[in-house]
Amino acid sequence: LSRFALKKSEFTPLPNLHPSLKMRKRGALRTEIKTPKGEVHFINTHLSVFRIERYLQLRTIMKWSGLSKRPFNKPLIFCGDLNAKPGSSGYRKIAGHLTDVQKALNRAVRPEPTFPSKVSSFRIDHIFVSNHWEIMHSEVIKNSFTINASDHLPLIADLILC
């Protein structure tokens, strides 16, 4: 959802190595948004819980989106339930190209976990941005509503397009 016009939206299915387990099919959505400061790319996904499958899914997204090209020449926000903790190979692959909003701010508090919502222990939901953004604030919202709304807590970020 955006107050700005959507120029283009496209979906790509992601590899599924475990069809016999009848897992949910995974995919990624890329949207190009027309803003007064130019075009913004937004990618959202939900990656597998299986490491090898997650690796293949991330590789597919990076190739499909052009994210593997350095530097990414247009403003980009990449987010979702990546099922990847900081330090994992998938996280490091993305962090090699983009900035983790929770780590970008110089703060005394460590980045906040998002899963599970009731007793948050793991940081597996992420927002990454290209160097076109100034990160003003990021926060995991934890209250009685968000704890009961999902098994993940929402992660938000206030960004300014430079």
Side-chain angles (χ1 to χ4, degrees):
L1 300 174
S2 173
R3 66 180 174 171
F4 301 113
L6 302 181
K7 180 177 173 185
K8 177 180 174 184
S9 289
E10 59 185 332
F11 171 84
T12 190
L14 297 176
N16 179 5
L17 300 179
H18 301 281
S20 63
L21 296 178
K22 298 185 180 179
M23 300 296 290
R24 290 179 285 197
K25 295 189 182 199
R26 308 282 182 172
L29 176 66
R30 176 176 56 191
T31 301
E32 295 174 16
I33 304 166
K34 290 168 47 175
T35 76
K37 289 191 174 184
E39 189 177 286
V40 170
H41 290 246
F42 185 89
I43 300 170
N44 187 18
T45 192
H46 183 177
L47 300 180
S48 174
V49 296
F50 299 107
R51 184 177 53 200
I52 293 170
E53 193 170 69
R54 191 169 51 244
Y55 169 80
L56 294 172
Q57 291 171 348
L58 189 55
R59 189 173 73 180
T60 298
I61 290 169
M62 293 185 82
K63 183 177 179 183
W64 165 73
S65 68
L67 181 56
S68 57
K69 296 175 184 161
R70 291 178 110 168
F72 194 78
N73 61 356
K74 296 189 177 170
L76 171 72
I77 300 170
F78 178 88
C79 63
D81 175 355
L82 305 184
N83 277 311
K85 297 176 190 174
S88 68
S89 61
Y91 175 93
R92 288 192 319 267
K93 188 171 191 71
I94 301 165
H97 297 272
L98 301 170
T99 301
D100 178 343
V101 298
Q102 285 205 71
K103 284 191 154 183
L105 299 172
N106 184 12
R107 58 167 111 188
V109 185
R110 290 179 20 188
E112 301 173 78
T114 57
F115 180 82
S117 58
K118 292 189 183 342
V119 185
S120 306
S121 309
F122 303 105
R123 196 162 81 85
I124 60 173
D125 302 280
H126 304 281
I127 300 172
F128 289 92
V129 296
S130 63
N131 61 0
H132 302 86
W133 299 93
E134 182 179 353
I135 303 163
M136 304 305 293
H137 176 77
S138 73
E139 179 180 3
V140 173
I141 307 297
K142 187 170 187 174
N143 58 42
S144 60
F145 177 75
T146 61
I147 287 172
N148 292 305
S150 171
D151 60 338
H152 294 254
L153 294 172
L155 169 63
I156 63 168
D158 293 324
L159 307 169
I160 295 176
L161 184 55
C162 300

